[in-house]
Amino acid sequence: MLKVTVVQGKKLVVRDFKSSDPYVVVKLGNQTAKTKVINSCLNPVWNEELSFSLTEPVGVLNFQVFDKDRFKADDKMGHAHLSLQPLVSVARLRQILGASSGDMTLRKVIPDCDNCLAVDSSISCINGEVVQDVWLRLSGVESGEIELKIKLSNPPVAQSKVV
C-alpha cells in the first residue's frame, strides 16, 4: 500500500485574474486520485492523504496541478513526476535487514535531470514504515512547488525465478 500525502503548494502560478483555485491530480499506472480544490490561493495547504496499490514493475508517480474553472476547461498549473524505485529499494532493504522499530534515515535522493526534486529528499524508516519527504518543482510553468510525504507499507515482493 502506497500513501501519498499532498501537503502543500508553494508559489503556484496565477491562472485567474489575481489568484488560482488549485487542486492536484496524482496518477500511478491506471490509478488516479485528486485533492480538493483550495479557492483563491497560490500557497495552498491540502494535507490530503491519497492511497494507491503498488504492483510490479514499480512505476512513477505523476502529479498535475490544475486551476479549477467554472465555465471552461481547468487551466494547467504545472506537472511533476517522482520515481518510486528508490523508495521501494529502501523498503526491500529494510525487510532484508529486519529493521522495524525506531527511526533511521536509510537513503538520500538528490535533485538531478531524471527527477523533479527541488531539494534533497531523504528516505527513512519510521515505526516500521518507509517514508520519503519530497519537494517537487513543477515543470511547464514559471514557478511552483508541491510538498509530499510518501509512505510505503508492505512493498511488493520482487518475483524470483526458481530453476
Side-chain angles (χ1 to χ4, degrees):
M1 181 61 80
L2 182 75
K3 294 179 182 177
V4 178
T5 302
V6 180
V7 180
Q8 65 179 324
K10 183 170 76 171
K11 298 180 186 170
L12 299 182
V13 294
V14 173
R15 288 292 183 249
D16 290 336
F17 181 60
K18 288 185 179 178
S19 189
S20 293
D21 306 315
Y23 66 93
V24 181
V25 175
V26 184
K27 292 183 182 179
L28 177 62
N30 60 1
Q31 303 171 74
T32 302
K34 76 179 204 178
T35 65
K36 64 184 177 265
V37 174
I38 305 290
N39 292 319
S40 300
C41 190
L42 299 178
N43 296 297
V45 176
W46 287 283
N47 274 329
E48 237 177 285
E49 185 176 88
L50 310 171
S51 296
F52 299 90
S53 3
L54 200 55
T55 56
E56 286 287 342
V58 176
V60 172
L61 272 173
N62 290 296
F63 301 89
Q64 291 181 292
V65 182
F66 291 97
D67 168 45
K68 181 74 177 162
D69 284 324
R70 188 173 282 206
F71 300 112
K72 59 186 179 93
D74 293 351
D75 297 315
K76 292 180 181 177
M77 295 178 69
H79 60 274
H81 64 275
L82 178 68
S83 171
L84 295 173
Q85 195 58 54
L87 185 73
V88 171
S89 297
V90 167
R92 289 184 180 141
L93 176 65
R94 181 189 66 82
Q95 284 181 326
I96 291 167
L97 296 175
S100 61
S101 61
D103 298 358
M104 67 176 88
T105 299
L106 299 171
R107 182 169 180 183
K108 186 169 277 200
V109 183
I110 59 171
D112 65 24
C113 59
D114 292 333
N115 64 41
C116 294
L117 294 176
V119 295
D120 291 358
S121 172
S122 56
I123 303 174
S124 305
C125 179
I126 301 172
N127 297 326
E129 286 187 310
V130 177
V131 179
Q132 183 175 11
D133 292 315
V134 181
W135 274 99
L136 294 180
R137 181 167 288 120
L138 296 176
S139 301
V141 287
E142 311 84 76
S143 69
E145 296 178 359
I146 54 174
E147 181 186 8
L148 312 162
K149 184 180 286 279
I150 316 291
K151 288 184 187 177
L152 180 60
S153 44
N154 303 325
V157 178
Q159 299 296 319
S160 56
K161 294 180 182 175
V162 177
V163 179

